[in-house]
Amino acid sequence: MGSLFRSEPMQLVQLFVQIEASHDTVDQLGRLGLIQFRDLCPEVSAFQRNFVNEVKRCDAMEVKVRFFEEQVQKEIRELEESGKDVSRLLESEDHDVIERKLNMDEMESTFEELQSELQQMNNNQEILERNYTELVELKHVLTKDADFFFETGVSEIDQPDEESVQKRLLAKPAASGGKAVGGASVQKGALGFVTGVIAREVFAPFERVLWRATRGNLFMKYSEVDEKIKDPHTGELLNKNVFIIFYQGELAHTKIKKICESFRANLYPCPESAKGRQDLLSQVETKLKDHETILSRTTRQRRQVLVSIAKNIKPWKVKVIKEKSIYHTMNMFNYDVGRKCLIAEGWCPRTSTEAIVTAMRAATESSGALVPSILSVIPSKDDPPTFFKTNKFTGSFQGLVDAYGIARYQEVNPGVFTIITFPFLFAVMFGDVGHGFIMALVAGLFILNEKKLAGKPLNEMVQTVYDGRYMLFMMGLFSIYTGLIYNEAFAVGLDLFGSQWEFDIHGRENTTKVVVATIRAGYENRPYPFGVDPAWKGATNTLMYYNSLKMKMSILLGVVQMTTGICMSLMNGLYFKHKLDIYCEFIPQMLFMMSIFGYLCFLIIFKWFQPADAAQHPMILQVMIQMFLSPVSIAPENHFFDGQLAIQLILILVAVVSVPWMLVSKPYILKKRHEAKVKGLLHHALGESHDDEDDDGHHGDAEFDFGEIFVKQTIHTIEFVLGGISNTASYLRLWALSLAHAELSEVFLGRVLVGIGLAGGPFELFISFAVWAGATIGILMIMESLSAFLHALRLHWVEFMNKFFHGDGYKFIPFSYAIVLQGDVE
């Protein structure tokens, strides 16, 4: 936890690496993941770097790997759609072992061969499938056309008498199994026909356009194909119709062909004689069998190639990404022509120096370089990056802080407090034993199965819950704790320790009865063992009691957390030796906070320790208002204790003095410092070092602007004074949301489950329970928990962290294969 309180100490290191050892050195450092390299050639464009050709080479190989992935995934989808086994395509060997043995030159030649082979196979298979689909369509056309000619009584088109053909065709315009379109008389002349296949979804408009274009001078029959046919051009499985159109004249033939082309109808030649159609059908069936055999062999061969690719696709991808990241990192180095070495600079934790040197020594040995690589620490005035060592438990809480801003180097990290305060403040608003148990149970299931779910693609919402599983678990546990304090489990009171109250009913029969509650004998002036006495659940003044309890508790929690934030500013001032911030900001801020809100908390606790007699004690809100409206007198109804007037006068004086103290003192001292520096007086009254002056924001020869500093301090003072009031009031959201959560739970329980379910029969009970469970999960567990989460987040970001947290640092992002492979760094 110590390393989480402040960021890791960082240092700027310089590396001298020989050219022949540079690749292996960067590779070892990428595996180690402890250096964030700086770009030493910012003015050089990406296309003029030393290793731009290697990066382009890796880009080309990455394109090929993506092509292989697409082909494998396409094959898997086709196998899954056909219900076949895909395990062979999902098998893989040990990735790390394969990846370490890979060589980029061999991989490049292998990729070229496999890509060429796959593209040739794809082209051949595409041609074969298109030919096969055309043969299938032609087979249906020949089969259906034979039926059409049989239905019309025509067997030969080129021999019978034309008038008899016309009479037979027009005599049966709508035979069974099809539909005829026509109506105009057929003129004498050559009678022709076209036949083909068209998608069923466009057949109706196709039919209308034909009718209008030819003005009804055609005769068409069609029949639906029972099976879906793959379109030769798009490859989609479609429902299709076979059609045949009889026409007269060359002009009609031209129009019909153009319309067929516009509707993407596939036309096929059909012999006019029955014998010719039968011979062609026999040839088509023979060709279909040949194509099926060839397609089967081609598919089998292509699948074997894809299986071999699938076993190595992940190691290939990892290797290419690593190589690309290596050369991309090396492009950030500076090339020393005289020494023939690469010079690199980067930030690393001070504790990792030995590990980095060991990795560089191993790289030198593996590369066979004669000159060892050198690491030296160099001084720097630049702000180092911020690095916190987190684990799977603390990572999600640190993520909440990083979402607001990255901590300044070495300043106090709010993430340490967030681990406890965030789930606790959430639980204050969400306190219920039952609801907290459900949340902890769901988070616990994710924790138990985290190894199974790690690395698997999950739904976005499920992934969010999985990433924050430990935070949700803590929120659930704290909700159980606060639920025990509130004595609520699904809005039902828990009688864990019995009640200290006893009830007597007074009144005769047929008269109004009065219930009198009294403390049991032996329990006078004794607190309840834990939480709220169950007797308060169901009492007529329950709401008033819980309102008072939760409202005062919210104020206490808020003042404690804000005071902690101010104390953390003291920790920062002491650590960075900013004495001016301590004397001119921390002390007056603490005095202002304690003189007003500390006194308010004192009155709350003082009243809690007094006997429960409302008539003897004034209202705290009225006391605080009259404290500022009438500071020199106290009304009898506002009197708490002896000496109250003197204490309140002192507190008001302290609060009034602390405001100009914050406003004027720091700009005035900075002005005097500047004047002393100009006159050559380096030693001033506070005895601060020159570096401390720089830390206060005034570096060396920078121009001193008193007006700007005074305006900045004025804004800071006004923000703190007004924020002290508004932030304290903001913590009342704890009371409001807790009350809303409890009332919603009670409404769902009383109105739905009890009011309808228990008052009715089994059917009503079943329905009401389903409605109650759905409302509990949907509204209370999801919507209410999200609302409480956002409010707790706001209390941390605004009310707590703004007291000491600057959040203007930048994150330590080392060159690490783990980060690169996750896609977090481009």
Side-chain angles (χ1 to χ4, degrees):
M1 192 63 72
S3 62
L4 197 61
F5 186 71
R6 294 191 188 276
S7 61
E8 289 285 324
M10 306 296 288
Q11 62 184 2
L12 184 64
V13 296
Q14 190 175 50
L15 309 180
F16 294 88
V17 184
Q18 294 299 310
I19 291 292
E20 56 270 19
S22 58
H23 179 276
D24 290 354
T25 301
V26 177
D27 179 52
Q28 289 291 337
L29 295 177
R31 298 177 189 277
L32 194 61
L34 289 174
I35 296 185
Q36 178 178 337
F37 290 103
R38 300 202 303 180
D39 190 0
L40 300 182
C41 310
E43 71 284 351
V44 181
S45 67
F47 301 101
Q48 296 176 338
R49 302 284 176 121
N50 295 323
F51 302 96
V52 63
N53 293 327
E54 285 78 4
V55 173
K56 290 181 179 179
R57 178 189 179 193
C58 293
D59 284 335
M61 295 177 68
E62 194 174 6
V63 171
K64 293 181 176 67
V65 172
R66 283 200 295 267
F67 170 72
F68 297 151
E69 278 187 319
E70 292 172 359
Q71 295 298 311
V72 172
Q73 293 299 324
K74 181 181 178 182
E75 187 69 18
I76 291 175
R77 286 194 300 269
E78 291 179 356
L79 289 175
E80 288 177 344
E81 290 174 359
S82 59
K84 296 181 180 179
D85 183 26
V86 298
S87 58
R88 294 182 62 194
L89 287 171
L90 299 177
E91 292 177 355
S92 59
E93 301 177 8
D94 191 347
H95 298 165
D96 293 335
V97 175
I98 297 176
E99 185 261 324
R100 290 177 184 273
K101 295 179 180 179
L102 293 175
N103 180 274
M104 288 297 288
D105 295 330
E106 295 177 358
M107 285 174 57
E108 189 173 24
S109 60
T110 303
F111 288 178
E112 289 287 347
E113 295 174 2
L114 288 175
Q115 185 182 32
S116 176
E117 185 178 1
L118 269 179
Q119 287 177 344
Q120 185 176 0
M121 286 182 177
N122 290 340
N123 293 334
N124 294 338
Q125 188 169 11
E126 184 180 351
I127 294 172
L128 286 171
E129 288 182 350
R130 183 165 61 248
N131 294 340
Y132 179 80
T133 305
E134 290 177 352
L135 289 172
V136 170
E137 289 186 348
L138 179 56
K139 177 183 176 181
H140 285 289
V141 166
L142 294 173
T143 304
K144 298 296 182 181
D145 284 356
D147 295 339
F148 294 155
F149 285 117
F150 177 76
E151 290 171 0
T152 57
V154 179
S155 60
E156 304 287 342
I157 293 296
D158 53 345
Q159 294 177 359
D161 179 67
E162 187 177 315
E163 292 185 4
S164 63
V165 172
Q166 293 173 4
K167 289 178 180 180
R168 287 195 295 270
L169 289 175
L170 297 177
K172 300 179 180 180
S176 61
K179 180 178 178 182
V181 179
S185 61
V186 181
Q187 302 295 329
K188 293 229 177 204
L191 184 65
F193 71 93
V194 293
T195 182
V197 179
I198 190 172
R200 191 175 301 167
E201 61 183 9
V202 299
F203 183 75
F206 172 69
E207 194 177 36
R208 289 193 296 270
V209 171
L210 280 173
W211 174 269
R212 292 170 182 171
T214 61
R215 298 182 180 179
N217 293 312
L218 60 87
F219 178 83
M220 182 173 69
K221 289 182 67 64
Y222 75 92
S223 178
E224 295 180 353
V225 180
D226 296 334
E227 61 179 344
K228 286 188 176 182
I229 303 177
K230 184 181 290 187
D231 189 83
H233 304 289
T234 62
E236 298 180 8
L237 287 173
L238 301 173
N239 291 312
K240 293 195 173 185
N241 291 351
V242 175
F243 64 89
I244 184 169
I245 304 172
F246 295 94
Y247 60 89
Q248 196 170 31
E250 190 64 29
L251 182 60
H253 176 254
T254 304
K255 288 183 179 180
I256 292 171
K257 285 193 67 175
K258 289 183 178 180
I259 293 171
C260 291
E261 291 175 0
S262 64
F263 279 89
R264 294 185 178 179
N266 301 320
L267 300 180
Y268 294 97
C270 180
E272 297 178 349
S273 65
K275 185 176 183 306
R277 289 192 295 273
Q278 187 63 36
D279 293 342
L280 182 56
L281 181 60
S282 300
Q283 296 176 12
V284 169
E285 290 178 345
T286 303
K287 289 183 179 180
L288 279 173
K289 292 180 181 179
D290 296 340
H291 275 71
E292 288 176 357
T293 304
I294 299 173
L295 270 174
S296 177
R297 293 177 180 175
T298 305
T299 303
R300 193 182 308 113
Q301 183 182 0
R302 181 174 177 272
R303 190 165 298 160
Q304 290 175 353
V305 175
L306 291 176
V307 167
S308 64
I309 291 175
K311 291 181 178 180
N312 300 299
I313 189 70
K314 289 185 178 179
W316 287 348
K317 184 177 181 180
V318 169
K319 182 67 174 180
V320 171
I321 293 176
K322 285 184 176 181
E323 289 293 322
K324 182 179 177 181
S325 64
I326 288 173
Y327 289 114
H328 177 74
T329 304
M330 290 170 64
N331 276 332
M332 301 169 67
F333 299 171
N334 200 357
Y335 180 62
D336 190 333
V337 180
R339 300 178 184 178
K340 294 184 179 180
C341 67
L342 293 175
I343 302 174
E345 291 182 5
W347 294 101
C348 70
R350 293 179 185 174
T351 56
S352 63
T353 305
E354 185 64 30
I356 295 173
V357 172
T358 303
M360 294 172 61
R361 188 180 300 119
T364 303
E365 294 175 358
S366 63
S367 63
L370 300 177
V371 181
S373 300
I374 300 173
L375 182 145
S376 60
V377 180
I378 58 176
S380 175
K381 294 184 178 180
D382 296 337
D383 294 329
T386 302
F387 174 49
F388 295 106
K389 288 184 179 180
T390 58
N391 51 39
K392 58 185 179 181
F393 175 76
T394 59
S396 56
F397 295 99
Q398 187 62 44
L400 288 181
V401 177
D402 292 344
Y404 177 82
I406 305 300
R408 181 182 291 181
Y409 177 66
Q410 290 281 285
E411 77 171 333
V412 174
N413 179 24
V416 178
F417 306 95
T418 304
I419 295 173
I420 299 299
T421 58
F422 183 83
F424 178 71
L425 292 184
F426 170 87
V428 170
M429 297 178 277
F430 197 73
D432 189 285
V433 174
H435 300 157
F437 175 76
I438 294 176
M439 180 172 290
L441 179 63
V442 173
L445 292 175
F446 276 97
I447 293 173
L448 292 175
N449 296 280
E450 63 181 10
K451 292 184 178 179
K452 296 180 181 179
L453 299 175
K456 291 185 177 180
L458 301 174
N459 179 274
E460 185 177 358
M461 293 185 63
V462 177
Q463 185 68 45
T464 303
V465 176
Y466 174 78
D467 293 339
R469 59 194 180 278
Y470 288 98
M471 182 186 297
L472 288 175
F473 187 71
M474 293 287 288
M475 289 158 58
L477 293 182
F478 275 98
S479 296
I480 295 175
Y481 172 74
T482 53
L484 291 173
I485 293 178
Y486 298 156
N487 199 359
E488 290 184 353
F490 297 114
V492 178
L494 300 175
D495 193 4
L496 299 178
F497 305 100
S499 177
Q500 294 182 347
W501 294 87
E502 57 183 3
F503 302 93
D504 297 325
I505 302 177
H506 299 275
R508 299 177 180 178
E509 295 183 1
N510 300 325
T511 61
T512 302
K513 293 181 173 59
V514 178
V515 179
V516 178
T518 57
I519 299 290
R520 295 180 186 273
Y523 286 94
E524 296 86 354
N525 298 325
R526 287 179 56 185
Y528 193 71
F530 185 81
V532 176
D533 193 303
W536 288 104
K537 297 294 293 185
T540 55
N541 58 345
T542 298
L543 190 60
M544 182 183 301
Y545 173 79
Y546 274 100
N547 269 343
S548 176
L549 172 66
K550 293 181 179 180
M551 180 172 61
K552 293 174 182 177
M553 186 175 65
S554 300
I555 296 295
L556 290 175
L557 293 175
V559 173
V560 168
Q561 189 175 34
M562 289 189 295
T563 304
T564 304
I566 297 175
C567 292
M568 291 305 104
S569 67
L570 171 64
M571 300 289 289
N572 283 333
L574 293 174
Y575 183 83
F576 293 110
K577 299 180 181 179
H578 291 173
K579 297 180 182 179
L580 195 60
D581 291 342
I582 297 174
Y583 297 143
C584 301
E585 290 185 354
F586 165 73
I587 294 178
Q589 286 177 0
M590 183 61 73
L591 291 175
F592 181 84
M593 179 66 69
M594 291 296 100
S595 62
I596 299 177
F597 304 105
Y599 181 61
L600 173 62
C601 294
F602 167 77
L603 292 180
I604 292 174
I605 298 174
F606 179 84
K607 189 173 182 180
W608 276 349
F609 276 91
Q610 301 306 308
D613 188 353
Q616 298 179 1
H617 299 289
M619 295 185 63
I620 297 176
L621 181 61
Q622 186 176 354
V623 172
M624 295 301 298
I625 293 175
Q626 293 300 319
M627 174 180 171
F628 291 95
L629 294 181
S630 301
V632 296
S633 62
I634 297 180
E637 63 272 12
N638 293 335
H639 184 268
F640 263 101
F641 52 87
D642 296 337
Q644 179 179 346
L645 179 60
I647 291 176
Q648 289 185 175
L649 284 173
I650 294 173
L651 293 177
I652 293 174
L653 180 62
V654 170
V656 171
V657 170
S658 62
V659 175
W661 187 349
M662 278 187 287
L663 178 64
V664 178
S665 61
K666 186 174 181 179
Y668 177 77
I669 294 175
L670 288 175
K671 184 174 183 296
K672 288 298 181 182
R673 275 189 192 176
H674 179 69
E675 292 175 353
K677 183 179 179 180
V678 171
K679 295 177 182 179
L681 301 177
L682 301 178
H683 301 286
H684 44 76
L686 293 178
E688 292 181 330
S689 64
H690 183 269
D691 291 338
D692 185 59
E693 295 177 13
D694 292 345
D695 289 338
D696 286 332
H698 304 280
H699 300 278
D701 298 331
E703 184 179 354
F704 181 82
D705 189 346
F706 177 76
E708 180 182 352
I709 294 175
F710 188 78
V711 169
K712 183 179 179 180
Q713 190 66 23
T714 301
I715 295 174
H716 179 71
T717 304
I718 294 174
E719 182 182 8
F720 179 82
V721 173
L722 297 182
I725 301 172
S726 63
N727 292 348
T728 305
S730 180
Y731 277 92
L732 292 176
R733 71 184 66 237
L734 299 173
W735 156 56
L737 266 77
S738 175
L739 183 64
H741 184 82
E743 291 301 311
L744 276 175
S745 301
E746 188 173 350
V747 167
F748 291 149
L749 179 70
R751 299 292 183 180
V752 178
L753 188 59
V754 177
I756 299 176
L758 297 181
F763 178 75
E764 288 82 357
L765 180 60
F766 176 79
I767 296 299
S768 62
F769 178 81
V771 174
W772 173 79
T776 300
I777 299 298
I779 298 178
L780 296 178
M781 293 302 303
I782 297 179
M783 296 178 61
E784 278 285 309
S785 64
L786 181 61
S787 175
F789 181 91
L790 294 176
H791 283 286
L793 189 63
R794 180 239 153 79
L795 290 177
H796 280 77
W797 281 0
V798 178
E799 277 71 30
F800 173 56
M801 290 165 55
N802 71 349
K803 301 294 186 295
F804 66 97
F805 186 65
H806 293 89
D808 55 357
Y810 64 100
K811 193 173 183 179
F812 175 65
I813 306 177
F815 170 61
S816 170
Y817 287 151
I819 298 176
V820 171
L821 294 176
Q822 288 176 358
D824 293 337
V825 177
E826 293 295 329

